[in-house]
């Protein structure tokens, strides 16, 4: 084990995090009858309540069209927590106290009268539960409804704080637009109604402990930063692979595809954290300024270059975990002749002083053999003249792998001498594992992010310029793909590591994809 932390040293166990206590507030979730609310939001808020992070009087108002009473909504949310909470069983005392603050407002998203009623109800909650005029609005509807809700929040006056002492914030779910133009339009609309510091664009990857640890790993340790540049690094691979197929989300995915679903948001975020310069503080703007600089330094892939710098794939039928699974075009909600990509690999460069000349290889796909998210930094090969007569069982270059999920941790691969009378070298790993080193279960990403929003801490949310630069990069690729429709889809069987061309793509550069 590379790193061991004793129970006494562990700050989480000392309860230092309890200092994070937000002011009383109400959270209004639009689309509260939906999947995200049940699967992620309610379990996260319940766990915050259970761990005493929620402010006194915290209240939750579900807003959606489905007709339900407060009691029915509470029951639905209780079942959601029972099914999806990371902590089980559900604590009855916590639930009873927490559920008294849960309410439901059945209405149309475009009905001005519904918002007037909401205003009255929120004022009533301020009086009865002491929520002090502080509000978080959460957009958890399909993205097509976001602009209607934002406009109505503006018209009804709900977007403006009621007094100098109160605050109003809005959390906007992904996808934030489907290309540069639509993302820009949504930013424009949001900025007419809210100020930038009221807007929290959520990317749940940034709530993951392992993603936040990238900054700690790089900037709280003295030994990595000096070698974190083009002089020592050969290339970087970022992989986000999934074993699942559509899981009932086919109609959403068919409009999106791998590049919109994964690359524009999660993977560009990982890239910017890996590549950024040290910020001057951990504050929201200092960190985001540095992230945006990285995205600006990414060399754009022009539409006529897409075939050289990207590979698209779509899975056909195959076998995953010993089970036969259908191809993408046979999944529910997918057009039988769909040309949506379920796999993407991209090569690009970050043209700044730190990274010039270092290729970055990104890949993401569905129905791949393993679920894994990782960033692998491969260092340059050492000169091996000294060992030219030794047996080197495939002495690979050093690789530092940051495992985001699952089996969260960090490993460093290096060559070691096999015990014996001769010099024989074998690659071995130094390994840090979150689970065994800290012995505590990390909070879910949504717990961290919801709490941060209530605290007014925006570092882990994306800023308008960040979203647009990332979309600019992706939109050029999408335009190029439109000009070159795929001719060979489906081009990889479910359960394989993607299309054959993806291997050739990296092998032409004398490198290979890692097998995580
Ligand atoms: N589910 C996830 O795990 C997940 C993960 C990341 C991001 N997201 C994002 O979070 C948002 C919500 O996701 P979700 O899975 O909860 O969506 P959902 O279940 O499809 O929709 C949420 C609610 O919105 C309302 N709604 C659905 N279609 C609508 C339409 N065409 N017009 C108006 N209202 C409609 C429905 O409530 P009423 O009919 O009662 O009004 C529905 O219960 C989406 O933008 C999604 O991309 C979801």
């Amino acid at each position: 084990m590379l790193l061991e932390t004793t129970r006494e040293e562990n700050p989480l166990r000392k309860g230092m995090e309890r200092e994070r206590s937000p002011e009383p507030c109400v959270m209004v979730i639009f689309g509260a009858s939906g999947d995200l609310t049940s699967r992620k939001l309610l379990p996260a808020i319940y766990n915050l309540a259970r761990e005493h992070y929620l402010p006194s009087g915290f209240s939750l108002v579900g807003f959606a069209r489905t007709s339900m009473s407060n009691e029915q909504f509470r029951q639905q949310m209780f079942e959601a927590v029972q099914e999806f909470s990371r902590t089980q069983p559900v604590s009855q005392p916590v639930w009873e106290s927490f559920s008294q603050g849960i309410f439901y407002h059945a209405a149309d998203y475009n009905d001005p009268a519904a918002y007037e009623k909401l205003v009255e109800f929120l004022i009533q909650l301020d009086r009865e539960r002491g929520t002090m005029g502080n509000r978080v609005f959460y957009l958890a509807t399909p993205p097509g409804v976001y602009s209607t809700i934002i406009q109505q929040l503006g018209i009804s006056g709900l977007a403006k704080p009621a007094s100098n002492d109160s605050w109003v914030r809005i959390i906007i779910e992904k996808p934030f637009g489907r290309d540069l133009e639509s993302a820009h339009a949504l930013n424009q609309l949001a900025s007419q109604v809210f100020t930038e510091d009221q807007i929290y664009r959520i990317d749940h990857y940034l709530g993951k402990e392992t993603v936040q640890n990238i900054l700690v790993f790089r900037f709280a340790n003295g030994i990595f930063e000096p070698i974190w540049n083009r002089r020592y690094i050969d290339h970087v691979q970022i992989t986000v692979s999934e074993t699942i197929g559509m899981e009932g989300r086919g109609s959403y995915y068919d409009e999106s595809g791998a590049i919109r679903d994964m690359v524009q948001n999660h993977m560009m975020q990982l890239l910017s954290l890996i590549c950024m310069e040290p910020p001057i503080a951990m504050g929201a703007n200092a960190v985001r300024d540095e992230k945006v600089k990285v995205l600006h330094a990414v060399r754009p892939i022009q539409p006529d270059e897409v075939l050289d710098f990207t590979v698209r794939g779509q899975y056909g039928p195959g076998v995953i975990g010993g089970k036969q699974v259908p191809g993408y075009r046979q999944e529910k909600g997918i057009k039988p002749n769909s040309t949506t990509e379920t796999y993407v690999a991209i090569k690009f460069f970050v043209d700044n002083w730190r990274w010039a000349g270092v290729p970055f290889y990104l890949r993401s796909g569905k129905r791949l053999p393993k679920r894994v998210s990782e960033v692998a930094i491969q260092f340059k090969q050492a000169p091996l003249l000294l060992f030219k007569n030794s047996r080197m069982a495939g002495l690979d270059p050093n690789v530092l792998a940051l495992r985001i999920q699952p089996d969260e941790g960090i490993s460093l691969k290096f060559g070691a001498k096999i015990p014996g009378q001769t010099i024989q070298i074998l690659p071995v790993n130094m390994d840090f594992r979150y689970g065994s080193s800290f012995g505590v279960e990390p909070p879910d990403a949504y717990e961290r992010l919801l709490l941060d929003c209530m605290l007014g801490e925006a570092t882990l949310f994306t800023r308008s310029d960040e979203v647009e630069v990332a979309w600019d990069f992706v939109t050029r690729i999408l335009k190029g793909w439109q000009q070159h429709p795929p001719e060979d889809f489906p081009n990889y069987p479910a359960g394989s590591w993607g299309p054959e061309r993806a291997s050739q793509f990296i092998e032409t550069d004398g490198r290979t994809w890692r097998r995580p």
Side-chain angles (χ1 to χ4, degrees), residues 30-40 63-68 104 107-109 138-146 173-175 202 204 249 252 266 446:
F30 292 94
S33 56
D35 181 68
L36 180 75
T37 306
S38 292
R39 193 183 290 275
K40 291 290 178 191
F63 185 125
R65 297 169 305 181
T66 305
S67 162
M68 261 189 282
Y104 186 72
D108 269 345
Y109 302 102
Y138 199 118
L139 304 193
T141 60
V145 195
Y146 293 171
E173 256 300 337
K174 78 157 208 184
I202 199 163
H204 74 268
R249 294 181 70 218
Y252 154 76
H266 309 324
Y446 277 93

Side-chain angles (χ1 to χ4, degrees), residues 237 363 374 376 378 399 401 411 413 497 512-516:
Q237 291 187 21
R363 66 179 158 163
E374 67 154 40
Q378 180 160 323
V399 177
S411 66
K413 186 165 81 171
W497 275 106
T512 51
W513 290 114
R514 275 167 57 78
R515 287 280 175 265

Side-chain angles (χ1 to χ4, degrees), residues 65-83:
R65 297 169 305 181
T66 305
S67 162
M68 261 189 282
S69 65
N70 285 337
E71 263 325 306
Q72 285 168 323
F73 183 58
R74 284 176 193 152
Q75 181 58 28
Q76 187 174 316
M77 294 301 103
F78 179 67
E79 286 162 19
V81 172
Q82 270 186 320
E83 188 175 352

Side-chain angles (χ1 to χ4, degrees), residues 228 233 235-239 274 359-361 363 373-379 398-403 411 514:
W228 207 261
I233 293 175
H235 75 279
V236 178
Q237 291 187 21
I238 304 181
T239 302
I274 290 295
F360 286 77
Y361 300 95
R363 66 179 158 163
S373 299
E374 67 154 40
V375 179
I377 318 280
Q378 180 160 323
F379 291 89
N398 301 124
V399 177
L400 182 75
L402 310 175
R403 294 188 303 274
S411 66
R514 275 167 57 78

